[in-house]
Amino acid sequence: MNELIQIGPISPLRQRLIDDMTMRRFSKETQRNYLRDVGRFATWLGRSPHTASAEDVRQFQIEQQQAGVPAPTMNSIVGALRFFFTHTLDRPDLARKLVRTRQVRKIPVVLTMAEVKRLLDATRSLKHQAALSVAYGAGLRVAEVSALKVSDVDSKRMLLRIERGKGGRYRNAMLPEGLLLLLRDWWRAGRQQGILVPDGWLFPGQSAAAPISTRQLYRVVVEAAEAADIDKRVGPHTLRHSFATHLLEDGVDIRVIQALLGHAKLNTTAFYTQVATKTVRSVVSPLDRLALASPSEEAPDG
């Protein structure tokens, strides 16, 4: 019997996994993804995953690869199973049998500043414009935008408090003056509509009791891009990519950008150097310097 598939009461094993994630302050989205991915393994296994063997783990990975499961999906499953085997089952021996799939990282799509403005202007409501402006103006992940509360806006220090970013990490994000003014406009409008309260969500969903979903924010971005005649493949993360790239092109130190994005590793942030075309264009090639050199100049030895 698959104890990770919720049918009726929550099984003890599923509850233990939930407790382990909650104790480590995993976000609701991360918990949902881990439950889904561990459940996928349990369904394949056909019995409780606490009975899994090293050979079961090996065969599961082989069959998933043969089935054409994309590398990002497989790595997500590996991360969930590693946590499950290590912390919930106390079976680190099984966790060591899991192999991450090598993944070629694609160069992200980045909008020009003019395209970002067109996209924001093309939104259908003040709430949507404010939410997308937060994604771009502060460089937040879509889940971080969704999870913002009114109390996370610190206008005195001009910061946005991100209570649970990726991996459960806390950080402060920047709050530009223009974004603060827009959020104040949204606050007044939301109060008049009766959907914004001091301790509530900054961007409520269909009801004030729940935040706007990441799926809804994705639809908002896609619809705004279409309305703005932007033919690039655009999603909420495109605004975060654009934020980082535009800062890099403006000469902001890459370690500052790393802190603003909440990246654990600098090489993750450094990837944006590949798309910072303005930075590349500003570099003078040695070939061009040859044309400027005096004919009498000689190149130094070595």
Side-chain angles (χ1 to χ4, degrees), residues 203-225:
F203 303 113
Q206 294 181 346
S207 72
I212 189 170
S213 68
T214 56
R215 182 172 297 183
Q216 176 62 22
L217 284 172
Y218 184 88
R219 286 196 293 265
V220 168
V221 173
V222 171
E223 291 173 359

Side-chain angles (χ1 to χ4, degrees), residues 10 71 172 204 238 268:
I10 297 178
N172 289 321
T238 307
T268 305

Side-chain angles (χ1 to χ4, degrees), residues 264-277:
K265 298 179 181 179
L266 182 61
N267 60 3
T268 305
T269 314
F271 189 72
Y272 289 107
T273 59
Q274 298 186 36
V275 290
T277 56

Side-chain angles (χ1 to χ4, degrees), residues 53-117:
S53 66
E55 183 59 25
D56 289 328
V57 173
R58 178 176 177 275
Q59 285 299 322
F60 171 72
Q61 292 177 97
I62 291 173
E63 291 187 22
Q64 295 298 300
Q65 185 180 50
Q66 292 174 342
V69 175
T73 302
M74 197 61 227
N75 288 337
S76 174
I77 296 171
V78 166
L81 289 176
R82 279 180 177 171
F83 179 87
F84 175 67
F85 290 143
T86 301
H87 300 286
T88 303
L89 294 185
D90 193 20
R91 292 287 308 277
D93 57 308
L94 293 184
R96 288 193 293 270
K97 298 298 181 180
L98 291 160
V99 180
R100 288 183 61 84
T101 305
R102 187 175 181 277
Q103 182 179 343
V104 178
R105 187 173 180 184
K106 296 180 180 179
I107 294 179
V109 173
V110 171
L111 302 178
T112 65
M113 295 185 72
E115 288 173 331
V116 172
K117 186 177 188 309

Side-chain angles (χ1 to χ4, degrees), residues 158-177:
M158 297 302 289
L159 297 171
L160 290 173
R161 288 187 291 269
I162 311 302
E163 290 196 0
R164 293 183 188 177
K166 189 173 182 180
R169 292 185 291 270
Y170 290 68
R171 78 177 193 280
N172 289 321
M174 64 188 298
L175 176 60
E177 182 67 32

Side-chain angles (χ1 to χ4, degrees), residues 8-301:
I10 297 178
S11 71
L13 185 58
R14 181 186 176 92
Q15 187 60 57
R16 183 177 176 83
L17 174 56
I18 293 172
D19 291 343
D20 287 337
M21 293 188 292
T22 302
M23 181 170 56
R24 290 164 178 79
R25 297 182 178 274
F26 282 14
S27 69
K28 293 296 183 183
E29 183 176 14
T30 299
Q31 292 192 33
R32 184 170 59 249
N33 291 342
Y34 274 32
L35 287 168
R36 177 201 63 207
D37 292 339
V38 176
R40 180 171 183 162
F41 171 72
T43 299
W44 173 89
L45 189 63
R47 62 183 191 274
S48 176
H50 86 273
T51 66
S53 66
E55 183 59 25
D56 289 328
V57 173
R58 178 176 177 275
Q59 285 299 322
F60 171 72
Q61 292 177 97
I62 291 173
E63 291 187 22
Q64 295 298 300
Q65 185 180 50
Q66 292 174 342
V69 175
T73 302
M74 197 61 227
N75 288 337
S76 174
I77 296 171
V78 166
L81 289 176
R82 279 180 177 171
F83 179 87
F84 175 67
F85 290 143
T86 301
H87 300 286
T88 303
L89 294 185
D90 193 20
R91 292 287 308 277
D93 57 308
L94 293 184
R96 288 193 293 270
K97 298 298 181 180
L98 291 160
V99 180
R100 288 183 61 84
T101 305
R102 187 175 181 277
Q103 182 179 343
V104 178
R105 187 173 180 184
K106 296 180 180 179
I107 294 179
V109 173
V110 171
L111 302 178
T112 65
M113 295 185 72
E115 288 173 331
V116 172
K117 186 177 188 309
R118 278 164 40 204
L119 185 145
L120 295 177
D121 289 343
T123 52
R124 297 181 179 180
S125 70
L126 182 58
K127 179 176 80 171
H128 292 164
Q129 185 181 53
L132 299 192
S133 295
V134 167
Y136 173 69
L140 302 194
R141 302 176 178 91
V142 63
E144 294 170 344
V145 175
S146 171
L148 282 174
K149 293 185 177 180
V150 173
S151 58
D152 292 328
V153 181
D154 187 344
S155 59
K156 292 183 179 179
R157 295 194 299 159
M158 297 302 289
L159 297 171
L160 290 173
R161 288 187 291 269
I162 311 302
E163 290 196 0
R164 293 183 188 177
K166 189 173 182 180
R169 292 185 291 270
Y170 290 68
R171 78 177 193 280
N172 289 321
M174 64 188 298
L175 176 60
E177 182 67 32
L179 180 57
L180 176 60
L181 295 176
L182 179 59
L183 290 177
R184 283 175 172 166
D185 288 343
W186 163 234
W187 167 253
R188 286 190 288 268
R191 292 283 283 178
Q192 290 178 353
Q193 298 170 26
I195 60 175
L196 279 184
V197 294
D199 296 325
W201 302 105
L202 183 58
F203 303 113
Q206 294 181 346
S207 72
I212 189 170
S213 68
T214 56
R215 182 172 297 183
Q216 176 62 22
L217 284 172
Y218 184 88
R219 286 196 293 265
V220 168
V221 173
V222 171
E223 291 173 359
E226 291 177 353
D229 292 324
I230 297 172
D231 57 5
K232 297 176 180 177
R233 187 180 179 86
V234 176
H237 220 64
T238 307
L239 296 172
R240 178 173 159 90
H241 290 322
S242 301
F243 164 85
T245 304
H246 294 164
L247 286 183
L248 191 61
E249 291 181 336
D250 286 341
V252 177
D253 186 270
I254 194 167
R255 291 193 178 275
V256 174
I257 300 174
Q258 177 191 6
L260 293 173
L261 292 175
H263 284 161
K265 298 179 181 179
L266 182 61
N267 60 3
T268 305
T269 314
F271 189 72
Y272 289 107
T273 59
Q274 298 186 36
V275 290
T277 56
K278 182 179 176 182
T279 303
V280 173
R281 292 196 303 269
S282 68
V283 177
V284 178
S285 167
L287 182 63
D288 290 337
R289 292 189 183 279
L290 285 178
L292 298 174
S294 168
S296 61
E297 291 185 25
E298 294 183 1
D301 291 340

